[in-house]
Amino acid sequence: MRNIAIFASGSGSNAENIIRYFKNHPLVKVDSVWSNKKDAFALKRAEDLGVESHYFTKEEFSGSDWLIRELQRRDIELIVLAGFLVLVPPEFVDAFTILNIHPALLPNYGGKGMYGSRVHESVVNNKEKESGITIHLVNNEYDKGEPLLQVRCPVFPEDTPDTLASRIHELEYQYFPGAIEEFLNRK
Ligand code: GRF
């Protein structure tokens, strides 16, 4: 089996969607879901679907190699960031292949502080005609790794950040699991 670990800080609807997609997959397994937030709903979603879920402290994430060793012990081949809001330390970038999804068309509306509803608020305030998703490799800078896939969607004049967020979430559900699978196939 090729083992994936998902990192998520919030609701975890993408994490859930990815778990469901790979549930009976012959080659790929979601081994575990990890969060920097003890009360992240992502952890509950994983548990409910029978996937191990764990919280880690700031020190465990960036102050020691405990988590890297633990993920290596689990034979994790790919880390998937799905709404994970912390910059990944360079030691992780060196040790693992990591994918992220960003809810806009990078390089626009990316970088430090550009996450969640802030992205959609900026897109709507700037009266953009389109937005979308970017699935990309993770390097040592926020949202700067090599893009693997971008999918576009319209932004309508009557859109609010919330209506745009739901359209973007639908794109994420539709494309993220398949992009992970395809990436592993090519790896
Ligand atoms: C998604 O829009 C993702 O692109 C962004 O954070 C959001 C997470 O949503 N990085 P959820 O927690 O998966 O519902």
Side-chain angles (χ1 to χ4, degrees), residues 99-120:
L99 293 186
N100 182 43
I101 188 158
H102 187 79
L105 297 172
L106 292 175
N108 299 331
Y109 302 101
K112 190 167 166 49
M114 263 298 173
Y115 58 84
S117 58
R118 294 188 195 185
V119 175
H120 307 305

Side-chain angles (χ1 to χ4, degrees), residues 10-15 82-84 100-103 116 120 168-169 172-173:
S11 158
S13 68
N14 276 285
F84 185 66
N100 182 43
I101 188 158
H102 187 79
H120 307 305
I168 297 271
H169 259 120
E172 296 183 330
Y173 304 149

